[in-house]
Amino acid sequence: MAMAAPHPDPLAGFPAGFLDGFTSREVAKGQLLATPGQALNQVFIVRRGRLRVYLASDARELSLAILEPGDIFTTHTPTFVRSLEPAVLWVIGIREFAAKLAGAPAVAPLMMKVLGRILDNAVSLVEDLAFRDVPARLARFLVRQAERRGEQGPEGCVLPIDLGTEDIACLLGTTRQSVSSLINQWQREGVLSRRGRRALLIHDLPALAARSLAQG
């Protein structure tokens, strides 16, 4: 049996000694790390786990990005940051981080990657809410995830799903019930099927892509 390839170290891209001075912090699932306007001014790097960056009002929440291992972010933004699962972070004050960054310009592209993803997600969210109904949003989400993380097999594209239904709903600006109902409907139609609790098998990726183009 072939052995699975080891997961790369998410911090391997940082220069030697760059993490000196950072403090390791463990975060429980569901813990709120940052809120708009808070006084805490820190930079953190995700070592393990995943965190959600989102906007919120009394009526709804809109997700902007999911931070993954290796991503850099700050507590000083007009967003909320909450852990989706138990996580480990490397944390440092923003002034100390700025001093380190001045001596390690190679880190800047890692920061731009996260900012670019947040901007891309924000633009996609605006497009979805303005022009697409919920089925098209979910189809688009699954197609984009398949392009990034899917593995083609004899029966179709196997897509690992690390997010829960509630998390996907928050990303798409809809409800958990709507996401579950659509996935069940697409199973009955033969577009996809479940592979345990953490994966989908997309039998017809072009058909799913076609659904993502529908406008509400």
Side-chain angles (χ1 to χ4, degrees):
M1 179 180 296
M3 297 292 291
H7 293 292
D9 184 349
L11 305 183
F14 293 91
F18 183 80
L19 294 176
D20 294 346
F22 281 76
T23 300
S24 181
R25 177 183 175 187
E26 295 187 2
V27 178
K29 179 179 179 179
Q31 185 171 338
L32 190 63
L33 282 83
T35 60
Q38 70 175 22
L40 187 63
N41 207 358
Q42 296 180 324
V43 172
F44 63 85
I45 303 172
V46 183
R47 177 62 190 265
R48 187 172 67 245
R50 306 170 82 202
L51 296 85
R52 182 166 69 101
V53 181
Y54 63 99
L55 303 173
S57 69
D58 293 338
R60 67 188 307 181
E61 296 180 358
L62 294 176
S63 294
L64 298 179
I66 302 297
L67 301 179
E68 301 178 343
D71 285 345
I72 306 174
F73 204 65
T74 175
T75 60
H76 193 63
T77 70
T79 64
F80 295 84
V81 181
R82 188 184 298 273
S83 58
L84 293 172
E85 58 194 34
V88 177
L89 311 177
W90 288 105
V91 183
I92 196 171
I94 198 165
R95 290 185 178 180
E96 293 83 356
F97 181 79
K100 282 181 169 290
L101 190 60
V107 175
L110 300 176
M111 299 177 61
M112 296 304 297
K113 179 187 72 170
V114 178
L115 294 176
R117 194 165 76 240
I118 290 175
L119 178 60
D120 180 60
N121 288 346
V123 171
S124 296
L125 181 61
V126 171
E127 289 180 344
D128 283 348
L129 294 177
F131 303 118
R132 293 181 176 86
D133 57 16
V134 174
R137 291 181 220 166
L138 179 57
R140 187 184 192 202
F141 170 78
L142 293 177
V143 168
R144 295 183 73 174
Q145 290 295 304
E147 291 171 349
R148 284 185 55 207
R149 308 177 62 207
E151 296 184 6
Q152 193 63 37
E155 298 180 84
C157 179
V158 179
L159 174 60
I161 298 292
D162 298 328
L163 298 175
T165 307
E166 185 72 36
D167 299 320
I168 295 174
C170 286
L171 280 172
L172 302 180
T174 186
T175 65
R176 179 179 60 81
Q177 292 83 357
S178 295
V179 171
S180 295
S181 177
L182 283 167
I183 290 177
N184 290 335
Q185 176 187 330
W186 292 345
Q187 284 189 92
R188 293 192 298 270
E189 294 174 357
V191 176
L192 52 78
S193 58
R194 294 187 184 273
R195 285 294 180 266
R197 296 182 58 188
R198 292 296 184 180
L200 294 173
L201 174 61
I202 302 175
H203 300 285
D204 193 342
L205 192 57
L208 196 60
R211 293 170 191 242
S212 73
L213 301 177
Q215 296 191 354

